[in-house]
Amino acid sequence: MGDSLASFEVCPNCKQDYQNNVAYELAKAQVNFVEREFAGDQHAFLYTNALTCRLVVLDVKNENDRCEGEEVISKMLATFEAMKHTAQHRSHLLHPDATKAFEGHANANIATFYHKIGSDDSLQKAKNYFQKAKSIFENEEDELGVMTISNLIENVEAEINGERKCLTQAVEVGLELKKFQLFTKEFGADDNTTTEAGVQLALAMWKEYRTIEAERLLTKLIARSRRVHGEGHDCTIFAISAMQRVHERKVFLKTNGEINVDEVYRVVRYTSDGLKCLVQGPVPKVVFDPRINRSDPSYEGAERTFEVERANVVTSRGTPVVCTGLQKATHLNGKIGDRREFDEDTGRYTIHFEDETLKPVKVKPENIRIVFDL
């Protein structure tokens, strides 16, 4: 029974999850198969699992999919209610606690469906189902589940108020690190779920200005995903897309000694023996729309490519740099690190080195060079 249903979700040849339209159609076929071949309360878990698989592949932008999603959710809730009033889950191969945990994840998936829709009514439904999932995870003492759902509830509440909620970056990194470590232990390093968790961890590090760590991790994840899943797999594409974002070296430009913070550029390389930089931009601004829960680039004009004096290029926070030309702390020359805070009083940047045995130091702008490739 398990093998026959697994074939709807995982390719029997390459052992990888189906992708895109294939996953979409097979999830629908799985529901139909279970309804036809495994009817009855004794197969409630199988049915709910098939419904959950169908729900997560539906496109909320499509009206027909939204309507189908409502039908799927109604069936899921009815099935769970029936399970509560029977002894079926006690005689099932799954332990009752495992069944309860599965109900928590199902509620989280229902909440995610409504969260993606993004309307006022749907956001309220998302909040309610996330809260149900959180309650179950608390009873199951699932610390990671509680942390994840609590974050999602905060995000939904902020969106209900027309805002965007952000975790402190240190908390987000800690949460993503726990997820990555858990998935690595439970599913193995080669599993696509583990890879996706690793990408999320890398992005969280990047947002905390730990760009070097993020790039190192993404390099490993991309290599592994290409080897295990293939170049065209969604998992590999996701990791490569993240690397493209993290690898961009963004800067501001000075004009008449003043920094223009309203325009951001990407620096391509040094020219003229390091005296100038080749830059492109301005880079499109990213605008967040809480109603659709995504960020879209806002284009205000065509980008152009041109040279700028190195002295007029101001690195952005998190940029990987290498120290050079230091007269006193000569042992730091050649050491790379992330450019962090700027001290206006001293006119120096704080550099956090990749070598953790080295303490952060403040360095003049002329004593750092951008590292384009790690």
Side-chain angles (χ1 to χ4, degrees):
M1 182 187 299
D3 291 341
S4 62
L5 292 179
S7 63
F8 285 101
E9 302 173 36
V10 179
C11 175
N13 295 320
C14 68
K15 309 301 181 183
Q16 302 299 316
D17 292 344
Y18 293 113
Q19 303 292 308
N20 306 319
N21 192 56
V22 175
Y24 181 91
E25 295 298 336
L26 284 176
K28 184 176 182 178
Q30 182 180 11
V31 173
N32 293 334
F33 178 74
V34 174
E35 288 179 338
R36 184 178 67 252
E37 301 293 334
F38 300 105
D41 290 343
Q42 70 272 27
H43 300 301
F45 172 78
L46 295 178
Y47 187 40
T48 307
N49 181 67
L51 291 170
T52 301
C53 291
R54 180 59 180 166
L55 184 66
V56 299
V57 299
L58 294 176
D59 182 3
V60 298
K61 300 176 187 177
N62 183 289
E63 184 176 356
N64 291 333
D65 277 15
R66 289 198 302 273
C67 292
E68 183 183 346
E70 295 287 357
E71 295 176 2
V72 168
I73 289 170
S74 295
K75 292 178 179 179
M76 290 173 66
L77 296 177
T79 304
F80 274 124
E81 194 63 28
M83 290 171 65
K84 292 176 183 178
H85 290 85
T86 67
Q88 179 270 330
H89 65 281
R90 295 189 181 93
S91 61
H92 192 271
L93 290 175
L94 284 177
H95 189 277
D97 289 344
T99 305
K100 195 66 178 177
F102 179 76
E103 183 181 358
H105 288 287
N107 275 285
N109 282 318
I110 293 173
T112 300
F113 174 80
Y114 285 123
H115 190 194
K116 289 178 180 177
I117 294 176
S119 66
D120 292 337
D121 181 60
S122 294
L123 288 174
Q124 191 59 55
K125 289 181 179 179
K127 178 182 175 181
N128 293 338
Y129 283 108
F130 276 137
Q131 288 174 332
K132 290 180 181 179
K134 180 183 177 182
S135 178
I136 292 173
F137 291 145
E138 287 175 337
N139 291 334
E140 297 298 310
E141 298 182 350
D142 183 346
E143 180 183 356
L144 179 60
V146 172
M147 289 177 62
T148 302
I149 296 299
S150 296
N151 175 33
L152 292 169
I153 291 174
E154 290 183 9
N155 288 341
V156 171
E157 288 176 339
E159 290 175 34
I160 290 174
N161 296 324
E163 303 169 353
R164 185 185 184 187
K165 176 70 177 180
C166 292
L167 287 174
T168 61
Q169 296 306 327
V171 171
E172 184 176 356
V173 169
L175 176 61
E176 296 298 343
L177 177 59
K178 283 189 175 183
K179 287 171 60 178
F180 181 56
Q181 291 173 335
L182 175 65
F183 292 166
T184 301
K185 179 180 179 180
E186 293 293 324
F187 309 122
D190 289 345
D191 189 84
N192 63 308
T193 305
T194 303
T195 301
E196 290 170 1
V199 173
Q200 295 291 359
L201 170 59
L203 289 173
M205 289 176 170
W206 172 60
K207 287 187 285 185
E208 201 188 11
Y209 311 113
R210 294 161 58 178
T211 305
I212 295 174
E213 286 181 83
E215 278 202 33
R216 299 289 194 204
L217 177 56
L218 285 170
T219 298
K220 295 178 181 178
L221 293 172
I222 290 171
R224 181 181 293 120
S225 189
R226 280 173 168 156
R227 173 176 55 82
V228 176
H229 307 297
E231 188 72 27
H233 193 281
D234 281 357
C235 195
T236 307
I237 294 172
F238 179 41
I240 292 174
S241 176
M243 176 63 94
Q244 290 171 343
R245 294 176 62 190
V246 172
H247 189 68
E248 272 195 337
R249 306 298 187 237
K250 293 184 178 179
V251 297
F252 302 99
L253 301 183
K254 285 183 181 179
T255 304
N256 298 324
E258 296 292 328
I259 302 174
N260 182 0
V261 296
D262 294 325
E263 292 185 342
V264 181
Y265 295 80
R266 71 175 65 87
V267 60
V268 179
R269 63 177 182 273
Y270 286 112
T271 60
S272 303
D273 293 327
L275 298 177
K276 295 182 178 181
C277 292
L278 187 69
V279 300
Q280 296 175 335
V283 177
K285 296 180 181 179
V286 176
V287 180
F288 182 80
D289 185 349
R291 297 296 89 184
I292 58 175
N293 191 35
R294 70 164 185 251
S295 297
D296 286 328
S298 174
Y299 294 93
E300 296 182 351
E303 293 187 21
R304 55 196 180 95
T305 302
F306 56 99
E307 285 188 328
V308 181
E309 294 291 334
R310 176 182 167 187
N312 290 327
V313 173
V314 180
T315 57
S316 61
R317 197 173 176 187
T319 300
V321 297
V322 59
C323 291
T324 180
L326 295 173
Q327 298 300 313
K328 294 182 179 179
T330 55
H331 65 291
L332 296 179
N333 287 326
K335 301 296 183 180
I336 65 173
D338 296 312
R339 192 285 255 183
R340 301 286 180 88
E341 302 82 6
F342 176 68
D343 187 333
E344 294 186 4
D345 293 333
T346 62
R348 297 170 184 249
Y349 297 125
T350 300
I351 309 300
H352 287 245
F353 293 101
E354 181 178 28
D355 184 348
E356 295 181 353
T357 64
L358 299 174
K359 295 181 179 180
V361 297
K362 294 181 179 180
V363 179
K364 294 179 180 179
E366 56 265 32
N367 290 123
I368 60 173
R369 287 174 60 93
I370 298 170
V371 177
F372 294 99
D373 296 300
L374 296 171

